[in-house]
Amino acid sequence: MGKALLIVITAPSGAGKSSLCDRLLGEYDDIVYSISCTTRNPRGDEVDGEDYFFLTDAQFEEKVAAGQFIEHAVVHDYRYGTLKDTVMGIMSEGNSVIMDIDVQGARQIRSILSEAPDTDIMKQGFLDIFITPPSIEELRDRLLGRGEDQLDVIERRLDNAVEEIACEKEFRCVVVNDDFETAYRQLRDVIRNIMD
Ligand code: 5GP
């Protein structure tokens, strides 16, 4: 087992982040997904406690007030956050954690870690990766092709994507997901090289 990493993965929706993460998680037992909390409703066959912890606004607010989140943000009108216990639970067993969070969350983590001592295991293992589509036109085609969202929702996601892509320079590593296999190898190699 290698060094335990705190891997933050950020991407605009439709960039292929979930498929890349699923492949990585399927291949390596020592990389564990951090299940976030959200106030949005479950979609499709999503399961509470597996995909997200689905909370009411009041439950979410209670955890904010109790200081239980390492980061939290509003994304597409709903609240999302990562519990400190989730991340620490995974890393204290020597495993690496993958956090699939937005640009705001990534910034909060960077800011917390910049204040932490150099001996902090999260600081020592921090790796932030941005996954980007080859172009906005390609992203539009992918979102239209999924057929999951109304046109106005797609346009809103594309506007968000433009804003998020403008922040890619903040990340240590940028993976362009043009060809899935190439992007996957790049993602896997950057993680395993630091870990091993
Ligand atoms: P979705 O609702 O499609 O699952 O996720 C929408 C967005 O919320 C994605 O960009 C995802 O990365 C982000 N997100 C999911 N969990 C968290 C979290 O715990 N914190 C933050 N800041 N963003 C999150």
Side-chain angles (χ1 to χ4, degrees):
M1 189 183 282
K3 174 178 169 187
L5 302 185
L6 173 62
I7 305 161
V8 164
I9 299 208
T10 301
S13 62
K17 176 180 53 179
S18 307
S19 311
L20 289 166
C21 287
D22 286 350
R23 172 91 172 264
L24 197 63
L25 292 161
E27 199 167 332
Y28 297 102
D29 288 344
D30 58 349
I31 304 178
V32 181
Y33 184 70
S34 156
I35 301 168
S36 294
C37 298
T38 182
T39 59
R40 78 155 166 77
N41 292 321
R43 281 198 296 251
D45 54 5
E46 284 181 333
V47 175
D48 186 35
E50 279 182 27
D51 298 283
Y52 280 103
F53 297 111
F54 294 100
L55 304 182
T56 62
D57 283 320
Q59 288 169 327
F60 196 100
E61 188 48 42
E62 220 171 87
K63 292 190 186 300
V64 173
Q68 290 180 14
F69 287 113
I70 185 167
E71 63 75 36
H72 62 93
V74 175
V75 187
H76 308 311
D77 301 334
Y78 293 99
R79 302 185 83 177
Y80 292 81
T82 310
L83 294 170
K84 289 177 188 165
D85 280 356
T86 301
V87 176
M88 286 316 292
I90 295 168
M91 292 191 81
S92 63
E93 289 181 358
N95 290 314
S96 293
V97 56
I98 282 205
M99 294 171 65
D100 163 354
I101 61 176
D102 83 319
V103 167
Q104 307 167 73
R107 279 194 190 135
Q108 288 174 41
I109 301 280
R110 272 188 220 109
S111 150
I112 291 163
L113 295 183
S114 72
E115 305 289 319
D118 291 342
T119 48
D120 186 293
I121 57 163
M122 293 197 285
K123 185 169 186 165
Q124 288 175 350
F126 182 60
L127 171 60
D128 51 343
I129 302 172
F130 190 85
I131 295 172
T132 187
S135 67
I136 287 292
E137 291 68 36
E138 170 69 23
L139 187 62
R140 177 180 282 110
D141 289 348
R142 286 185 195 173
L143 290 173
L144 286 169
R146 287 208 302 212
E148 280 176 3
D149 299 304
Q150 305 282 339
L151 272 182
D152 60 329
V153 175
I154 291 181
E155 286 307 325
R156 195 147 56 92
R157 284 183 191 268
L158 286 170
D159 287 345
N160 282 334
V162 171
E163 280 178 32
E164 286 170 321
I165 291 169
C167 305
E168 69 177 28
K169 286 183 228 57
E170 297 172 21
F171 290 75
R172 179 162 158 194
C173 173
V174 175
V175 173
V176 180
N177 187 9
D178 190 355
D179 171 64
F180 181 84
E181 289 301 324
T182 310
Y184 177 68
R185 275 199 301 277
Q186 198 187 336
L187 178 68
R188 181 194 62 195
D189 291 351
V190 79
I191 292 172
R192 296 306 314 187
N193 282 341
I194 295 176
M195 203 184 258
D196 295 333

